[in-house]
Amino acid sequence: MNVNEIREMYPEGTQIVLTEMRGENQMPYGLKGTVKFVDDAGQIHMKWENGSSLALNINEDTFEKVEAPEKISVILVEPGRYPKLIEIEDTLEAMQSLVEGDIEEYMPFDDEVAIICNEEGKMRGLPLNRAVYADNKEMVDIIAGKFFICYAPIESEKFLSMPKELARKYEEKFKYPERFYQTIDGIEAKPYKPVSKDMER
């Protein structure tokens, strides 16, 4: 493999997992690193998680390239803000990070879409975000904390990107933030517009 081929296969930013680096005891199996550049001799210069900058030799060292996870387009809904379409990595870790805890799948609608929220949102006292309503406009639930909406067809084993039409529909459905009030008849929700552009970000 020539230098150009190595550079094409291992561009800057490529994630690497080390299997073995000969004669380097401080470079254990499973160590992760990021490619900085490939020099004219074909050495792969690295930034390793342990702080080392030792370069890889493609003919002597054993390592694997970590493929970047796929991304999906979802609607992020945060308290006090308008919804927005974002891309996230299609990994459990990315979803948990977004909702700030273990995830719960909630499918209250006729469409094949799922609300993914923090399963302990209410117990942890996260800010009340949006209400979910039945077809007769009756409030059936309130979601606490950040959540996102994704496409979840029954035949699929994983969550998928929101189709454009459904994305527009659910951005509109959850467009306005809501404030919640305890009344004699129970809890009521009142939609409002964020007071500044800062709250939309």
Side-chain angles (χ1 to χ4, degrees), residues 90-109:
D90 184 19
T91 64
L92 177 61
E93 292 77 15
M95 295 176 188
Q96 289 175 330
S97 176
L98 196 58
V99 304
E100 300 174 340
D102 290 336
I103 64 172
E104 178 181 5
E105 179 183 352
Y106 179 34
M107 298 184 70
F109 307 116

Side-chain angles (χ1 to χ4, degrees), residues 79 99-100 118-129 142-146 180:
V99 304
E100 300 174 340
N118 187 314
E119 70 174 8
E120 297 181 337
K122 293 190 184 79
M123 292 194 321
R124 287 174 49 192
L126 297 181
L128 296 181
N129 189 346
I142 300 173
I143 302 171
K146 294 190 287 188
F180 298 91

